Amino acid sequence: MTDEAAATPTFRSDVTVELVRSAAGDTDVLWAARVSTKGEQSLEALQQDPAKSAGLINFLMRDRHGTPFEHNSMTFFISAPIFVFREFHRHRSGWSYNEESGRYRELQPVFYVPGEDRKLVQQGRPGKYEFVEGTAEQHKTVTSAMERAYTQAYAEYQEMLAAGVAREVARAVLPVGLFSSMYATCNARSLMHFLSLRTKDERATVPSFPQREIEMVGERMEALWAEQMPLTHAAFNAHGRVAP
């Protein structure tokens, strides 16, 4: 077994999201849109106060003229359970991903266990599921079962590594509740599409039914994006949280 301290499992109920690089602002929407009517004169909008053209941003969002929202870039560093990333990677248009690899590094024993506020009981049929609060006993059962399974799985992983088995083989025993990390790069249009599907909001005109854990990631990404492009974010909310 490797370092004993590193082999002791850690259990988390949160996710983390950092904006590590951004080239995104409301002005980016304006110059991209104005080239259609002003040509080279649209370059004047590069230094424009975007607040003076909030109406244009709202018009573009309302009438779903989407391409002006693509001329920007944000890179997030995300730590979340592997099962969240498997859902994340279904979003392909306008996204780039690089995730840590269990082939090239020894995976650390950090595992997801739902917090007490996580709804545990699923009711209804496919397409009409709803989730309700679990009992204290159900939460105790979930926590105990997950921690026990994670601890055993990681011990087996360490045993294989100690026996000289390749990391890419040994990792097969680890569950999808293991935390991973990745860089995810997108533009505002692709992020809005992601948020329209992976978050729930009373302002949304189209209902969504995200799993809570990926919604937690989406909420954190949205808060960071809103700081970069407040007018675009406001227009997104004002027009039903539908990606243009």
Side-chain angles (χ1 to χ4, degrees):
M1 184 175 293
T2 58
D3 180 20
E4 185 175 346
T8 302
T10 299
F11 306 111
R12 292 178 53 181
S13 61
D14 64 330
V15 298
T16 57
V17 178
E18 300 174 59
L19 181 63
V20 297
R21 189 188 65 174
S22 176
D26 291 313
T27 303
D28 298 327
V29 181
L30 301 178
W31 55 257
R34 287 190 166 133
V35 72
S36 63
T37 58
K38 293 191 174 183
E40 68 280 0
Q41 293 179 13
S42 63
L43 292 171
E44 297 173 5
L46 289 171
Q47 307 301 323
Q48 181 181 334
D49 178 3
K52 295 181 179 179
S53 297
L56 174 57
I57 292 174
N58 273 278
F59 162 75
L60 296 169
M61 190 75 69
R62 184 195 69 203
D63 286 13
R64 304 192 71 184
H65 295 292
T67 53
F69 298 99
E70 296 177 3
H71 295 269
N72 56 82
S73 178
M74 293 165 283
T75 298
F76 300 90
F77 183 72
I78 304 168
S79 295
I82 288 174
F83 67 81
V84 169
F85 290 168
R86 298 297 82 82
E87 287 194 323
F88 226 115
H89 294 160
R90 295 176 65 84
H91 297 268
R92 298 180 296 278
S93 298
W95 288 90
S96 298
Y97 303 106
N98 280 94
E99 184 180 351
E100 69 175 283
S101 172
R103 297 185 67 193
Y104 303 119
R105 66 168 303 192
E106 182 176 331
L107 298 172
Q108 299 304 297
V110 182
F111 298 95
Y112 176 74
V113 175
E116 293 184 359
D117 60 341
R118 208 306 187 182
K119 295 179 179 179
L120 294 181
V121 180
Q122 177 178 300
Q123 297 178 340
R125 60 183 176 81
K128 290 191 175 181
Y129 288 137
E130 65 174 356
F131 289 82
V132 298
E133 303 291 340
T135 65
E137 187 61 31
Q138 286 172 322
H139 275 281
K140 181 179 179 181
T141 297
V142 167
T143 299
S144 176
M146 286 189 173
E147 291 184 358
R148 185 171 61 250
Y150 291 151
T151 300
Q152 179 64 29
Y154 198 77
E156 301 292 352
Y157 173 69
Q158 289 285 293
E159 182 177 338
M160 284 188 278
L161 294 181
V165 175
R167 289 183 292 264
E168 66 182 49
V169 176
R171 66 177 173 170
V173 76
L174 295 172
V176 293
L178 181 76
F179 267 72
S180 186
S181 59
M182 73 170 179
Y183 290 107
T185 299
C186 64
N187 59 55
R189 189 184 192 186
S190 54
L191 180 59
M192 285 186 278
H193 178 69
F194 174 87
L195 295 174
S196 72
L197 294 172
R198 301 299 184 178
T199 61
K200 294 185 69 172
D201 192 290
E202 61 183 13
R203 294 165 292 188
T205 55
V206 179
S208 57
F209 307 93
Q211 182 163 335
R212 178 55 189 152
E213 288 75 16
I214 196 169
E215 184 179 33
M216 290 160 58
V217 173
E219 289 169 349
R220 288 158 176 76
M221 295 176 74
E222 181 170 359
L224 293 166
W225 167 56
E227 294 176 359
Q228 304 296 308
M229 303 180 72
L231 298 178
T232 301
H233 180 250
F236 175 60
N237 285 323
H239 296 287
R241 294 177 65 86
V242 176

